[in-house]
Amino acid sequence: GKWVKVAFTQLALVGFSAVFLIPLYWLVTSGLKTDAQLQAYPPVWFPHPITFKHYQEGFASMDFLGMLRNTLTIAVLTVLGS
């Protein structure tokens, strides 16, 4: 009856959530893996040890604060102009 419909709805919501959250999890954890773990087959789902090397290199290779300033400027001006 009604509990079957509710259970099915909840199961469907969990499934749809997984479809969207697994790629996000993979994106974040890929940045925390060592180079060997990134190339490993089968894939490594839980990085150990965790390294922030890739995030440090990424932020060091671009003008992050300049880009953040530009983004905030556009966002603030857009909000004020609307």
Side-chain angles (χ1 to χ4, degrees):
K2 184 176 180 176
W3 69 269
V4 173
K5 184 178 178 181
V6 171
F8 179 76
T9 302
Q10 294 296 320
L11 187 62
L13 289 172
V14 168
F16 285 127
S17 297
V19 167
F20 289 99
L21 291 176
I22 289 174
L24 179 62
Y25 171 80
W26 190 258
L27 175 79
V28 172
T29 59
S30 290
L32 300 173
K33 295 176 184 176
T34 63
D35 291 334
Q37 290 173 339
L38 287 171
Q39 301 296 323
Y41 184 83
V44 175
W45 283 90
F46 304 103
H48 182 73
I50 291 176
T51 178
F52 290 94
K53 180 183 104 172
H54 300 291
Y55 286 107
Q56 291 168 341
E57 289 175 357
F59 284 116
S61 68
M62 64 179 168
D63 181 20
F64 180 75
L65 292 178
M67 289 187 224
L68 180 62
R69 184 185 65 245
N70 290 341
T71 300
L72 292 175
T73 300
I74 297 298
V76 168
L77 291 176
T78 301
V79 168
L80 292 176
S82 62

